Every structure is written in C-alpha cells, then in structure tokens.
Amino acid sequence: MPALTLERLVASIGFGSRKEARALIRAGMVEMDGEVVDDPFVEFKARPETIVVNGEEIPTVEKLYIMMDKPLDVECSHNARDHQSIYSLLPDRFTAMGLQSVGRLDADSSGLILLSNQGDFIHKVESPKKGYLKKYRVTLAREFTAEQKAELLKGVMLKDERRPVLARELSEERIVIDGEEKDTVVISIGEGLYHQVRRMFAAVGNHVMTLSREAIGPVTMDGSLGSGGWRFMTEEEVTSLTK
C-alpha cells in the first residue's frame, strides 16, 4: 500500500485531485498542530484525526455516514429542479467524496435523512430484506377515525401496486407544533414506495397535511440538530444498521 502522504490525505477528504491537493498545500493552506505544512509529500505512520484546511478544522474520515434533519422545500437530488438541493446544506467536499442520500424524502416532507458514500451501507439500509421500519409523524386534514385506523393496520391497495401495504405500527398523539397543540398520527411502514404514507391515508379517505420522518430502524432523529442541521452518525448508529 502506498505511503499516506499529506497530498493523498487532503485529496481523500474531498479537496480535489492529488494535483489540486498538492497546489493547496504548497499555497500554505494546510496546517497541522498549529503549524503550516507546505510539503505535500510529508508521510504519516497513522492517519491524523483532523487537519486544518483554509482555517477550518476538518475531520479526516473517508467513509461518510451523516444524519440530517431535512427541511421542507429541499430536494434529495444532486440535480434539484424546483428547490434547493439537500447537498447545498453540506460542505462541497462531501459531493466530491461521492455522498448520496439513503433513500429519499420528498420536497414537501421533512425530518430524518441519512447520507453516505458507502455503497454497502446504502444497500443494506434500503434493502427490503433488512426490513427496517420507517417511522413518520403526520398531521391530517380530517378527523382520524377508528375505521381508518383499522383499514391501515389491515392493509390497503395503492394504485399500480401488486399487493396491499399496511401500517406496521400506528398511534395517535397530541403534541405542540409551532407553539400550538395538534393531533398527530405516528405511522411505521416497512416499504419505501413513492409517496407511500400520503397515498395510504388518501386510500382510507383522509389527507396528509404535514409529514416528518422520525426514525429509520433503530436510528432516531437527533432533536438537537434543528431544521437543516446535520452531524456525523455515531459508530453505534452505523453498527445498528449494518449488523
């Protein structure tokens, strides 16, 4: 294995090609331990946890696992058409590192979204074989009746689908949203079909007004992030989805 040089390290965390990383280093833009390092070919015996690039302390992780509280009117696409892209809320270098969303949330939905540049991780989380439940909190346009609840738990047919889909878990809660008490429904599903939750409630005669994802399998939204906030996932969170 080639020696880990500073230019390789800088390039590996999204600062361009090795040639571009070399130019950045020679321009005096990289620091370690409070000192500017302008030699691109400095070698490391062990990968440092952080380096400073252009005045910003940067973790040197290559494998990205990220949790975000996705805001409304943001698209989970690198080529957003009608709204801001989710990737614009993250450092540009993450895109250069191949970051992708794990599944998607529509522009009119908010809440938990995971992102990674590790294909195996994305595949495992998205795979129906893993059976990770996805939990959503919704507000509805009309009263949620016992009959509607029973239908969703039994299973409903959606247009263009071959088999019924059902709510794996379903509960009602009254919580404070934007300073106002509102009745909400918490629903967990096992699939990830297009507009599935909205279509399920429409199938029983109701209409989803707001929708926010709160959990994917054992990983729940970090309430401290705030809309548009993000953080690296913990090792425990990553492991819980890959074991």
Side-chain angles (χ1 to χ4, degrees):
M1 180 180 294
L4 177 60
T5 60
L6 184 57
E7 70 163 8
R8 287 182 182 274
L9 177 64
V10 172
S12 75
I13 56 175
F15 287 97
S17 65
R18 286 170 57 188
K19 181 179 179 180
E20 290 168 327
R22 196 156 55 241
L24 192 70
I25 296 163
R26 285 175 171 159
M29 305 297 285
V30 178
E31 298 176 34
M32 294 191 64
D33 300 324
E35 300 285 340
V36 172
V37 182
D38 58 8
D39 180 0
F41 304 110
V42 168
E43 295 185 5
F44 302 97
K45 292 182 179 178
R47 193 179 188 91
E49 289 188 4
T50 64
I51 61 173
V52 175
V53 181
N54 197 22
E56 180 183 358
E57 187 171 21
I58 306 290
T60 64
V61 292
E62 287 184 275
K63 297 180 179 181
L64 300 176
Y65 304 98
I66 290 169
M67 170 190 293
M68 176 185 282
D69 185 347
K70 188 190 91 66
L72 293 172
D73 299 325
V74 173
E75 296 182 24
C76 294
S77 171
H78 284 287
N79 300 304
R81 294 184 178 182
D82 303 312
H83 302 281
Q84 181 181 12
S85 167
I86 192 173
Y87 300 99
S88 68
L89 303 176
L90 295 158
D92 291 342
R93 66 188 184 87
F94 286 175
T95 299
M97 294 172 72
L99 190 68
Q100 302 289 336
S101 65
V102 183
R104 295 195 174 198
L105 279 175
D106 304 312
D108 53 357
S109 301
S110 62
L112 177 64
I113 190 81
L114 305 180
L115 304 101
S116 180
N117 63 350
Q118 298 300 300
D120 287 349
F121 175 79
I122 295 172
H123 175 73
K124 285 180 180 178
V125 178
E126 292 181 341
S127 173
K129 293 181 180 179
K130 281 291 185 179
Y132 289 127
L133 296 186
K134 303 169 187 71
K135 184 168 75 174
Y136 301 84
R137 183 179 298 276
V138 303
T139 58
L140 300 171
R142 292 177 282 279
E143 178 186 1
F144 185 54
T145 67
E147 291 77 14
Q148 291 173 355
K149 182 175 182 178
E151 284 187 69
L152 289 170
L153 288 170
K154 181 180 178 181
V156 295
M157 283 300 302
L158 303 181
K159 184 179 179 181
D160 297 328
E161 301 300 337
R162 295 184 176 182
R163 56 182 64 88
V165 293
L166 53 83
R168 304 293 183 88
E169 298 171 357
L170 197 57
S171 62
E172 299 169 70
E173 297 178 11
R174 188 168 182 81
I175 65 170
V176 176
I177 301 176
D178 296 330
E180 181 181 348
E181 280 199 357
K182 293 185 179 181
D183 291 318
T184 65
V185 175
V186 180
I187 180 172
S188 295
I189 59 174
E191 306 82 10
L193 305 175
Y194 176 72
H195 281 173
Q196 181 175 340
V197 173
R198 296 178 187 275
R199 293 162 66 201
M200 288 176 69
F201 280 99
V204 299
N206 218 314
H207 176 72
V208 171
M209 299 292 290
T210 66
L211 183 153
S212 180
R213 184 157 62 197
E214 296 192 337
I216 298 174
V219 175
T220 60
M221 170 61 72
D222 182 339
S224 69
L225 291 178
S227 182
W230 66 273
R231 65 165 171 79
F232 293 110
M233 295 174 65
T234 65
E235 184 177 345
E236 290 74 19
E237 288 169 336
V238 174
T239 300
S240 73
L241 290 169
T242 55
K243 62 182 180 182

